[in-house]
């Protein structure tokens, strides 16, 4: 039965999906502009869509099929070569890229880092960042500002502080610029990726971003070398926690190269995805004053004028619902790719070895078979999570490879959103509708421009 409530809000912006079959040249063109535009509109009305162009492919929106791919048979459906070719130059064979035993021992070593007790210890950094972004917004009252840019700055401050505890060798400006350049160069899909050419065939964009990749790795390497000579003041930053982590089965710990690649993974993924979640949440609240007032009333009741902290999370249910609904409508990882390693049957359809499995999370979250009024903004559908099929809602993936930082991201997003909405009113700037575009993540092209005014 579709999930939702009878209460609705104004319909947010969405992506126009493909309504007719696409040829290879059109697939490449659209993929370079907005990957979501290659997804058939049928994916919002059916549990599975299959086809063949240069190779066989399947798009899976059925929760049982997704459970099979992600949870029951993850070794049979590893990440696709396209994903690995795009990301490996920057983050190596880290936790996000690795497969099999190499992934398994890294996951076991890193899991305690993101245990809830450790995430809670990091919450003061998140509260401080919420305070700083509030101060910046205060200086722009009455103006239109790009809240996406503000959220990127805030979440980068958080991930920087919790990664290296302010080490002098960690040049924030340099690594932020290097990450931006790296993402700009690697994110666009190459025709060579679409055709399945091997990684050693050069891609122009990735050749151009080579300096950014080297700069990014150099700054991280220097920061690790410096931190080897000292401890953090709190002994609770990600570097210390990851250094202390080990595979409980073998005792293996990460060497410096593995530390660098995994820390870069956390930095790259850990700030942009949360920034996107916050920016899209503020956009959605800007077009739904009723829900904005609900969040504000909850935040005022819980916080007064202070910043939110980890101890407040249990009292911020409406804020959480808004964030979860934002992740439904605009999941940062809006499309996952897997490659079948053996014959299988999913949804009654034959899957052959080598088939590409598209997991279009954007379409899954808007599938009419699973969600009531799927294009509407309705946080109330998350009031009772038990009513939602676990594999109908996958903003952080699922199965053993579910995002290791999901708890960190939700805590940070809740602290920042509750703090900001308690202090400011947000309304959409006239003529500045954001445009959702998936390149590597689902970003608002041109930013999210909102008018800011005092809450009181």
């Amino acid at each position: 039965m579709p999930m939702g409530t009878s209460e609705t809000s104004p319909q947010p912006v969405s992506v126009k999906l493909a309504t007719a079959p696409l040829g290879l040249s059109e697939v490449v063109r659209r993929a370079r502009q907005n990957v979501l535009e290659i997804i058939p509109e049928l994916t919002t009305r059916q549990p599975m869509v299959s086809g063949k162009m240069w190779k066989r492919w399947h798009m899976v929106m059925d929760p049982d099929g997704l459970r099979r791919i992600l949870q029951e048979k993850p070794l049979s459906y590893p990440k696709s070569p396209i994903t690995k070719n795009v990301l490996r130059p920057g983050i190596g064979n880290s936790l996000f890229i690795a497969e099999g035993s190499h992934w398994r021992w890294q996951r076991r070593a890193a899991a305690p880092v993101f245990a809830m007790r450790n995430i809670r210890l990091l919450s003061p950094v998140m509260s401080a960042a919420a305070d700083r972004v509030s101060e910046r917004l205060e200086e722009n009252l009455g103006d239109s500002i790009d809240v996406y840019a503000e959220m990127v700055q805030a979440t980068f401050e958080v991930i920087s502080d919790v990664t290296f505890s302010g080490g002098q060798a960690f040049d924030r400006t340099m690594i932020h610029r290097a990450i931006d350049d790296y993402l700009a160069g690697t994110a666009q899909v190459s025709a060579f990726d679409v055709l399945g050419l091997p990684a050693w065939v050069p891609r122009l964009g990735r050749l151009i971003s080579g300096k950014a990749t080297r700069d990014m790795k150099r700054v991280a390497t220097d920061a690790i070398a410096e931190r080897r000579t000292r401890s953090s003041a709190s002994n609770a930053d990600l570097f210390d926690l990851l250094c202390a982590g080990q595979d409980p089965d073998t005792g293996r710990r990460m060497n410096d190269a593995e530390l660098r690649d995994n820390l870069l993974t956390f930095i790259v993924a850990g700030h942009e995805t949360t920034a996107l979640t916050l920016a899209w949440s503020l956009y959605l609240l800007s077009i739904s004053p009723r829900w904005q007032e609900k969040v504000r009333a909850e935040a005022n009741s819980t916080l007064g004028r202070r910043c939110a902290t980890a101890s407040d999370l249990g009292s911020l249910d409406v804020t959480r619902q808004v964030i979860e609904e934002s992740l439904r409508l605009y999941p940062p990882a809006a499309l996952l790719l897997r490659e079948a390693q053996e014959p299988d049957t999913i949804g009654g359809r034959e899957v052959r070895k080598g088939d590409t499995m598209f997991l279009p999370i954007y379409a899954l979250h808007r599938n009419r078979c699973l969600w009531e009024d799927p294009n509407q903004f309705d946080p109330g559908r998350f009031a009772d999570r038990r009513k939602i099929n676990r594999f109908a809602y996958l903003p952080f993936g699922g199965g053993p490879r579910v995002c290791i930082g999901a708890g960190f991201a939700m805590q940070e997003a809740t602290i920042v959103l509750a703090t900001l909405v308690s202090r400011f009113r947000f309304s959409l700037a006239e003529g500045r509708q954001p445009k959702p575009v998936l390149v590597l993540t689902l970003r608002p092209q041109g930013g999210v421009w909102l008018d800011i005014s005092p809450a009181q």
Side-chain angles (χ1 to χ4, degrees):
M1 178 177 292
M3 296 168 290
T5 71
S6 58
E7 298 182 14
T8 59
S9 299
Q11 187 164 307
V13 293
S14 59
V15 177
K16 184 177 181 180
L17 304 181
T19 56
L22 304 177
L24 177 59
S25 62
E26 183 66 7
V27 167
V28 173
R29 187 189 70 81
R30 292 195 184 196
R32 289 183 63 80
Q33 294 180 348
N34 186 355
V35 176
L36 289 182
E37 291 183 2
I38 71 172
I39 296 177
E41 193 273 336
L42 281 173
T43 56
T44 64
R45 295 184 279 117
Q46 295 186 10
M48 192 165 175
V49 177
S50 302
K52 182 177 181 181
M53 191 174 294
W54 57 98
K55 64 185 300 186
R56 286 165 49 93
W57 56 264
H58 310 276
M59 293 190 179
V60 184
M61 292 70 61
D62 172 56
D64 289 340
L66 291 164
R67 180 181 290 106
R68 183 169 181 83
I69 293 169
L70 296 173
Q71 180 168 297
E72 296 172 0
K73 302 187 70 175
L75 296 180
S76 300
Y77 294 98
K79 294 190 176 184
S80 80
I82 293 177
T83 301
K84 295 174 184 177
N85 290 344
V86 167
L87 295 175
R88 186 177 282 119
I91 61 176
N93 203 24
S94 63
L95 189 60
F96 191 83
I97 296 294
E99 299 288 352
S101 60
H102 190 56
W103 169 82
R104 197 157 36 249
W105 85 263
Q106 290 187 85
R107 181 77 180 207
R108 287 196 293 248
V113 174
F114 292 95
M116 189 53 65
R117 64 181 181 277
N118 289 327
I119 294 173
R120 291 296 177 97
L121 290 174
L122 299 173
S123 72
V125 177
M126 302 171 182
S127 299
D131 233 350
R132 287 193 295 272
V133 73
S134 293
E135 291 172 0
R136 294 196 295 272
L137 294 185
E138 190 78 34
E139 296 173 357
N140 291 280
L141 289 176
D143 295 335
S144 297
I145 67 166
D146 179 6
V147 296
Y148 173 52
E150 288 290 343
M151 296 306 104
V152 168
Q153 181 174 342
T155 58
F156 189 76
E157 289 172 357
V158 170
I159 201 66
S160 299
D161 286 342
V162 304
T163 302
F164 286 113
S165 281
Q168 297 302 308
F170 188 69
D171 187 332
R172 294 189 187 197
T173 302
M174 166 70 83
I175 201 162
H176 200 179
R177 183 169 60 248
I179 288 172
D180 285 345
D181 291 345
Y182 160 69
L183 292 175
T186 62
Q188 285 211 339
V189 175
S190 163
F192 293 172
D193 294 326
V194 174
L195 292 170
L197 271 64
W200 54 261
V201 178
R203 274 70 162 170
L204 180 60
R206 280 156 230 168
L207 289 175
I208 294 172
S209 67
K211 182 181 183 302
T213 302
R214 292 191 296 273
D215 288 345
M216 192 170 67
K217 290 190 173 185
R218 177 178 55 78
V219 172
T221 298
D222 291 347
I224 289 171
E226 184 209 24
R227 281 300 307 278
R228 289 294 192 191
T229 68
R230 68 177 180 87
S231 295
S232 68
S234 64
N235 200 38
D237 67 6
L238 292 186
F239 177 84
D240 284 330
L241 292 168
L242 205 57
C243 280
Q246 64 181 43
D247 183 342
D249 291 349
T250 66
R252 181 176 175 180
R253 297 177 185 269
M254 293 185 186
N255 60 34
D256 281 4
E258 290 162 342
L259 278 170
R260 178 201 65 203
D261 290 343
N262 278 289
L263 287 168
L264 283 174
T265 299
F266 300 150
I267 292 169
V268 171
H271 85 280
E272 191 193 31
T273 54
T274 308
L276 287 166
T277 301
L278 284 163
W280 285 119
S281 294
L282 288 169
Y283 158 69
L284 290 165
L285 290 177
S286 78
I287 64 171
S288 181
R290 182 172 63 86
W291 278 102
Q292 187 173 162
E293 286 304 319
K294 286 186 176 185
V295 173
R296 182 170 296 112
E298 176 183 78
N300 287 339
S301 174
T302 303
L303 310 177
R305 293 293 292 174
R306 66 175 173 83
C307 274
T309 68
S311 62
D312 299 314
L313 298 180
S315 302
L316 297 172
D317 287 341
V318 176
T319 308
R320 173 191 57 79
Q321 291 169 31
V322 167
I323 292 168
E324 291 182 326
E325 177 72 340
S326 172
L327 286 166
R328 183 186 71 83
L329 287 167
Y330 305 109
L335 177 64
L336 308 179
L337 297 178
R338 297 292 188 266
E339 186 174 90
Q341 300 299 296
E342 60 186 18
D344 198 2
T345 300
I346 292 182
R349 301 192 185 189
E350 177 191 27
V351 174
R352 300 176 187 171
K353 181 179 179 180
D355 285 1
T356 297
M357 312 301 293
F358 289 84
L359 314 185
I361 307 304
Y362 181 87
L364 171 75
H365 288 179
R366 294 170 183 260
N367 190 287
R368 301 175 197 176
C369 301
L370 302 171
W371 303 91
E372 183 180 324
D373 296 327
N375 293 315
Q376 291 288 344
F377 173 56
D378 181 12
R381 70 179 90 235
F382 288 95
D384 185 355
R385 285 296 302 274
R386 294 171 299 180
K387 295 181 179 179
I388 296 177
N389 187 314
R390 173 66 186 85
F391 284 86
Y393 180 68
L394 297 170
F396 297 107
R401 298 199 71 142
V402 66
C403 176
I404 197 171
F408 181 99
M410 285 298 297
Q411 176 176 292
E412 181 181 2
T414 305
I415 286 172
V416 174
L417 187 64
T419 300
L420 294 182
V421 176
S422 73
R423 298 176 178 183
F424 305 99
R425 293 186 187 278
F426 299 90
S427 56
L428 186 64
E430 187 175 356
R432 301 299 294 265
Q433 281 276 11
K435 179 181 178 181
V437 173
L438 177 64
V439 182
L440 193 60
T441 51
L442 187 55
R443 301 174 181 175
Q445 189 176 70
V448 175
W449 289 85
L450 304 182
D451 294 332
I452 314 296
S453 59
Q456 301 296 337

